Amino acid sequence: MALTDEAIGKIKTMITSGELGPGDRLPKEADLARRLGLSRNSLREAVKALSIIRILDVRQGDGTYVTSLAPQLLLDTLGFVVDFHRDDTVLEFLEVRRILEPAATALAAQRMGAEDIADLQAVLDSLDDTRDVEALVANDLEFHRLIAVGSGNTVLCSLLDGLSGPTTRARIWRGVTQEGAVTRTREQHQAIVDAITLGQADLARSWATVHVAGVEEWLRRAL
């Protein structure tokens, strides 16, 4: 593992120094191993590890390339990592959401156009008085996804998308056990849409905070 870590570090340096950029092809394995003073086996393991986290793209019969290094690509593995959370750490993920989501909502109030806001309202309007918890959660996820996209910040959007996994479970628990969840969700979502429509960033931030904090408060009592 130490040799593989060394190989990863050397490839990382090539990328961060600008020697290799997004879309560039790595030298042939034998040439790169010789140049970096590595065994071909350790280099191969490093490439495999970096391809898993979307730094490198191994194309069979073509070669190995640096990916676009776009935030949404690099943070895609976040969802996989947080899926390993334990029930006693879900509150920590909700705390992070309570920090990030109001910020995204405030940005959305400043940046979302009329068409995007109409799409957001349409998602909210599609939520009826169903008792189907899965439908409620799916609608909630889409609503918050559109806001994150509307923030115009791809890093923030990717982080929130990655955090949606563990908090989805809390939303399901809330929907099953708490009376009035559908009505409360609809009312809070409408308040958020209204604030975004008016371009009132501070008000949008406040309503988003109330919304996420409500889930967090309920879960603290339930655990």
Side-chain angles (χ1 to χ4, degrees):
M1 284 304 297
L3 292 175
T4 300
D5 289 343
E6 179 187 358
I8 290 173
K10 289 184 176 181
I11 296 173
K12 175 184 174 183
T13 298
M14 292 179 71
I15 296 172
T16 56
S17 68
E19 184 177 351
L20 286 173
D24 286 350
R25 187 179 187 277
L26 269 65
K28 292 182 179 179
E29 183 182 273
D31 296 337
L32 185 59
R34 189 183 314 109
R35 176 179 167 185
L36 297 179
L38 300 167
S39 70
R40 294 180 66 172
N41 185 60
S42 60
L43 177 60
R44 199 172 296 126
E45 290 300 316
V47 167
K48 186 186 301 182
L50 291 171
S51 67
I52 290 174
I53 59 174
R54 309 293 183 86
I55 301 294
L56 298 178
D57 178 20
V58 180
R59 304 175 189 174
Q60 294 298 328
D62 186 12
T64 299
Y65 292 79
V66 180
T67 66
S68 66
L69 302 178
Q72 60 268 34
L73 182 68
L74 299 182
L75 291 171
D76 188 49
T77 54
L78 175 62
F80 177 80
V81 173
V82 298
D83 279 342
F84 289 95
H85 80 286
R86 303 183 310 275
D87 287 346
D88 60 350
T89 62
V90 69
L91 279 171
E92 295 182 9
F93 288 108
L94 278 169
E95 286 176 349
V96 176
R97 267 197 65 216
R98 181 162 44 84
I99 295 169
L100 297 182
E101 198 151 317
T105 308
L107 287 173
Q110 298 170 335
R111 298 174 177 176
M112 284 184 78
E115 186 176 342
D116 294 329
I117 294 174
D119 290 340
L120 186 63
Q121 183 68 60
V123 170
L124 178 55
D125 291 342
S126 69
L127 181 63
D128 55 25
D129 294 323
T130 179
R131 299 295 297 174
D132 185 341
V133 175
E134 289 187 5
L136 172 61
V137 171
N139 185 278
D140 190 42
L141 286 171
E142 178 63 8
F143 181 85
H144 289 286
R145 186 191 70 80
L146 289 178
I147 291 176
V149 171
S151 74
N153 186 309
T154 57
V155 175
L156 187 54
C157 184
S158 296
L159 285 170
L160 286 169
D161 185 58
L163 289 168
S164 67
T167 56
T168 295
R169 196 169 177 184
R171 289 170 182 165
I172 292 174
W173 293 344
R174 188 185 194 198
V176 169
T177 62
Q178 192 175 58
E179 290 295 326
V182 177
T183 300
R184 187 176 300 103
T185 296
R186 183 188 291 112
E187 290 174 350
Q188 292 176 353
H189 280 187
Q190 187 61 64
I192 291 171
V193 173
D194 291 344
I196 290 175
T197 302
L198 294 171
Q200 296 183 344
D202 288 342
L203 183 59
R205 184 196 304 272
S206 297
W207 272 114
T209 301
V210 168
H211 181 56
V212 179
V215 180
E216 182 183 345
E217 180 185 1
W218 170 85
L219 188 57
R220 286 186 186 280
R221 294 197 304 267
L223 289 180

